[in-house]
Amino acid sequence: MKYPLLIGILALTSCGLETHIKTDVRKALTLCTGEEFVARVTMCQALLREAAQVNGPVTVIVSDAPRLMQELASRGLTLEQFLDSPLSTKYARANIFSLPKLSTGSFSTLDGVVHSVVCQQNDNLCRIDGAISGSADSMEADYVGGKLFTMNGWLPF
């Protein structure tokens, strides 16, 4: 048999067993920069730029891109201005932990701010500083080198 591993995986998936695609969190951010929604692309570009500077695993907080657009508008910035400004670095550093995953405890983001994290259900649902909450990783991917949390907001920047 020429492809026994491939045949084995196909047999398992046809029996209803899930196989997760393993990808680095940074790869997920790279893929996000190729999406069509400009606000989300901008958010991912800022996060990727900073995540790429960190050796080792990172846990990244992403949120609703239209909310980021509203925040920038309130600060008098367009998406293009944001990406070229120091504010994009502040945003990214405030929303990236140099950790393989979040768990209950106190942890610093890349900007040095310590945050209180409370997690439940195997650390996949977390609340940070009692202000934002969300879940880790989508069902389609099993991230290595960190976690990607989709939350209902972002950490102050």
Side-chain angles (χ1 to χ4, degrees), residues 16 23 133 137:
T23 187
S133 59
D137 302 346

Side-chain angles (χ1 to χ4, degrees), residues 16-149:
L17 298 176
E18 289 185 31
T19 57
H20 292 284
I21 300 167
K22 294 210 179 269
T23 187
D24 187 274
V25 170
R26 292 166 190 86
K27 179 68 174 175
L29 290 172
T30 300
L31 293 173
C32 173
T33 65
E35 292 182 7
E36 291 184 25
F37 187 45
V38 176
R40 184 154 166 81
V41 168
T42 301
M43 176 180 63
C44 291
Q45 286 174 327
L47 291 166
L48 177 60
R49 241 184 354 214
E50 290 305 306
Q53 303 296 319
V54 178
N55 290 326
V58 291
T59 293
V60 180
I61 306 301
V62 295
S63 64
D64 185 36
R67 292 183 76 187
L68 179 61
M69 288 175 57
Q70 291 172 342
E71 176 69 22
L72 296 179
S74 75
R75 295 181 187 215
L77 290 172
T78 65
L79 290 171
E80 296 79 22
Q81 291 168 329
F82 169 69
L83 202 52
D84 293 332
S85 77
L87 191 61
S88 69
T89 301
K90 283 184 71 174
Y91 160 76
R93 293 183 65 76
N95 288 281
I96 299 174
F97 294 87
S98 184
L99 297 169
K101 67 176 185 171
L102 289 180
S103 59
T104 298
S106 295
F107 305 99
S108 296
T109 46
L110 295 183
D111 62 359
V113 176
V114 178
H115 299 280
S116 173
V117 180
V118 177
C119 297
Q120 56 186 337
Q121 293 183 1
N122 298 325
D123 295 338
N124 283 329
L125 295 172
C126 296
R127 186 164 189 81
I128 303 174
D129 296 338
I132 65 171
S133 59
S135 60
D137 302 346
S138 66
M139 293 303 290
E140 296 84 37
D142 186 13
Y143 295 114
V144 295
K147 293 279 186 189
L148 188 64
F149 273 80

